[in-house]
Amino acid sequence: MHTTSSSTHFVTSRVILDAQAKASYAPLENHAGKRALVLGGGGSAGNAWLIGVLAGLAQAGLDVTETDLMVGTSAGATAAAQLGGASAAQLFENILAATLPQPRTAAVGGSGASSRQTSNHMERTAKIIAAAENPTDMRRGMGSGALEMAEAWGEDGRSSWRRTVAARFSSQDWPECTTLLTAVDAGTGEPVVFDSESGVDLADAVAASCSAATAYSIGGRGFIDGGYRRNENADLAAGFERVLVLSPFGGRTRHPLEWNMQLAAQVDELRSGGSAVETIAPDPASLEAFGTNMMDLSTRIPAARAGHGQGEALAPQLAEFWG
């Protein structure tokens, strides 16, 4: 993994909705504590892998969901919300129980659908990244296209996406531990964070964090995938003694390394600030389970099983770190 020191300052605001449901921004408070769990994005396969790893760790006696802070991005935001109403073991069993074939539509971690749509989205966003001068420019480019698609999507599409997202977790209440779910304002390109104090329903926050192709409207503003803020957003755990990062994409980035969007730069920053950091990336068995399209719902069972095995194997060496 490439490691580079970061000199880039990332400003993030919490989104707060007023009585007129218009989004406004407030500075994100600095959190501090002993343990933070960071759940990165990675589509349907990545969400299942995250659940599998957490369940495998718990099976081996290490429950890392007992944490002071959870940071969730895209598929990781879905996982964080799911953990608010069920244990990792329960969520893992739910994945294994979903044995019937499922269509490749409304996949976890994005509002895209088929393999072809996923390919088109990747091609379009690659051009935006290549043409951008910096992360803010890139985010605005991503947001502009997503807002255009939202116009065609309409309110029916938004409502359908929200129902799909809300059905993924049993409790619609924010998790008890401090939970930060990332997104980006599609209009301004400003990185934002939703939390329990935002006045935003959990389902809306997750839907926004997962909206890779189409902007999701909350309070009259459009929001897009939190992975456009930074890939795993582990830097939001600054100030915590121990930070465990689960990255379905294994720290890979599509952005120029000098932008310091990649996980390695975030880990450098955390360690420079005094945090002890451990990361978990997919092993070869998990990568094989993912296949070539992480949005494909048929990958969920093999990805969860591979993640479970990986979590069980890693538990002994992480036990002392997590404390």
Side-chain angles (χ1 to χ4, degrees):
M1 179 182 292
H2 178 80
T3 301
T4 182
S5 297
S6 172
S7 58
T8 305
H9 179 57
F10 289 85
V11 178
T12 299
S13 300
R14 174 202 293 161
V15 171
I16 297 178
L17 297 188
D18 61 21
Q20 287 73 43
K22 293 182 179 180
S24 59
Y25 296 114
L28 185 66
E29 297 177 3
N30 290 325
H31 298 281
K34 289 187 175 182
R35 299 181 294 193
L37 176 64
V38 178
L39 305 174
S44 296
N47 172 268
W49 177 81
L50 290 169
I51 296 302
V53 171
L54 296 173
L57 289 169
Q59 178 70 32
L62 182 62
D63 186 0
V64 297
T65 65
E66 294 182 355
T67 183
D68 302 306
L69 172 73
M70 272 198 295
V71 178
T73 296
S74 198
T78 301
Q82 290 172 312
L83 289 165
S87 68
Q90 291 171 318
L91 296 171
F92 176 68
E93 292 301 324
N94 290 344
I95 293 172
L96 298 187
T99 55
L100 295 177
Q102 302 179 65
R104 296 179 182 181
T105 182
V108 174
S111 53
S114 69
S115 297
R116 183 58 188 162
Q117 287 175 314
T118 300
S119 176
N120 290 341
H121 173 68
M122 295 297 287
E123 292 173 5
R124 180 179 66 83
T125 54
K127 291 178 181 178
I128 294 173
I129 293 170
E133 295 181 358
N134 52 52
T136 300
D137 191 30
M138 178 271 296
R139 295 186 194 106
R140 288 173 180 158
M142 297 292 185
S144 177
L147 288 169
E148 290 179 7
M149 294 186 71
E151 288 291 328
W153 203 29
E155 182 57 33
D156 288 345
R158 177 194 179 277
S159 297
S160 176
W161 177 233
R162 189 187 191 281
R163 287 193 298 271
T164 297
V165 169
R168 294 173 183 157
F169 31 93
S170 59
S171 173
Q172 302 301 311
D173 296 327
W174 281 83
E176 291 185 6
C177 76
T178 300
T179 301
L180 307 180
L181 305 182
T182 64
V184 168
D185 186 306
T188 66
E190 181 177 4
V192 297
V193 165
F194 298 103
D195 64 13
S196 62
E197 302 300 317
S198 297
V200 176
D201 287 347
L202 180 63
D204 287 320
V206 176
S209 187
C210 292
S211 288
T214 304
Y216 182 80
S217 177
I218 305 176
R221 292 181 183 265
F223 296 92
I224 56 174
D225 196 297
Y228 296 131
R229 176 192 178 273
R230 258 181 136 177
N231 294 146
E232 288 81 9
N233 295 298
D235 58 293
L236 292 176
F240 282 78
E241 293 178 14
R242 285 157 286 177
V243 182
L244 178 62
V245 185
L246 276 61
S247 174
F249 285 129
R252 300 192 307 277
T253 185
R254 300 171 65 204
H255 306 105
L257 293 183
E258 59 267 25
W259 289 2
N260 288 325
M261 301 277 282
Q262 67 274 18
L263 178 58
Q266 299 166 48
V267 170
D268 278 354
E269 293 166 20
L270 288 169
R271 288 175 175 162
S272 295
S275 299
V277 185
E278 292 288 346
T279 63
I280 301 178
D283 62 10
S286 296
L287 292 174
E288 183 177 357
F290 292 171
T292 59
N293 180 11
M294 294 181 72
M295 303 301 290
D296 186 347
L297 290 174
S298 68
T299 63
R300 287 181 59 74
I301 291 176
R305 284 176 171 157
H308 192 279
Q310 192 174 353
E312 281 192 290
L314 290 172
Q317 67 190 69
L318 287 173
E320 183 176 355
F321 163 76
W322 194 248

